[in-house]
Amino acid sequence: MFRMLRPARLCTVLAPALALVGLAACASNEPRLDPESPAYLVRHGEFDEALSRARKAYQENPDDKRALKVYVIAAAINNMHRGRELTFSDRDEEAMDYFWRAKSLAPNAPEVDHWIQKTNEKIAERRLDEATDALVKSELELALELYRD
């Protein structure tokens, strides 16, 4: 049902925003990224460390607009990663919280919309199955409640 995104693909999806902050190399094959940079860390699946470094850079210089943008993008990517991990563990309602956080940080990222839509569909299918099971068991009130959700 879901396609797994490699860290590089997730970075590519958010490339328009990354380009704004000078991190376009994250979405390319160029090996020139600084291994300490958030872009490098995202590319290598180190989402928490990327966010930590971006946060630290922003806190050290809160007037730096580029540092703020890097921090926001790192936070969006980190939220997407957490949401994906949760939905793969069938913790979809929790995952949606992270996807909506990512959406608030990267409102134009189509991959965020994709995961919100797919997870909503997964939740709806599960609730429909639960409602059908309740109906089969003659639990009509529960079935109606689940159908309404």
Side-chain angles (χ1 to χ4, degrees):
M1 176 177 281
F2 291 102
R3 60 190 162 128
M4 180 65 167
L5 287 180
R6 295 182 318 254
R9 171 69 179 127
L10 181 60
C11 188
T12 302
V13 167
L14 295 174
L18 292 168
L20 291 175
V21 295
L23 294 176
C26 179
S28 74
N29 293 326
E30 294 182 23
R32 292 182 256 161
L33 289 175
D34 174 5
E36 302 293 315
S37 73
Y40 179 91
L41 294 166
V42 164
R43 185 170 184 89
H44 290 87
E46 299 293 331
F47 303 108
D48 290 333
E49 185 63 23
L51 180 58
S52 177
R53 298 231 179 136
R55 180 185 302 119
K56 182 180 178 192
Y58 173 66
Q59 288 172 339
E60 288 174 356
N61 194 355
D63 294 328
D64 183 349
K65 290 181 182 181
R66 182 181 182 281
L68 174 61
K69 288 179 183 179
V70 170
Y71 177 44
V72 168
I73 296 303
I77 291 171
N78 190 277
N79 278 298
M80 281 294 299
H81 170 69
R82 290 181 184 278
R84 287 190 346 262
E85 296 271 316
L86 287 165
T87 198
F88 291 141
S89 298
D90 292 325
R91 295 168 54 190
D92 301 306
E93 286 79 3
E94 291 174 74
M96 289 299 289
D97 289 338
Y98 285 98
F99 294 146
W100 283 111
R101 289 177 200 165
K103 177 77 172 167
S104 72
L105 296 166
N108 298 319
E111 196 63 26
V112 176
D113 292 332
H114 169 79
W115 280 90
I116 288 171
Q117 177 185 350
K118 287 299 199 178
T119 304
N120 271 330
E121 290 171 5
K122 187 178 170 192
I123 291 168
E125 287 175 16
R126 186 181 64 244
R127 287 188 180 156
L128 182 60
D129 289 345
E130 291 170 356
T132 301
D133 289 344
L135 189 58
V136 168
K137 295 176 185 175
S138 296
E139 298 171 351
L140 299 178
E141 288 183 35
L142 176 60
L144 285 173
E145 182 181 321
L146 289 167
Y147 278 126
R148 286 187 200 125
D149 284 343

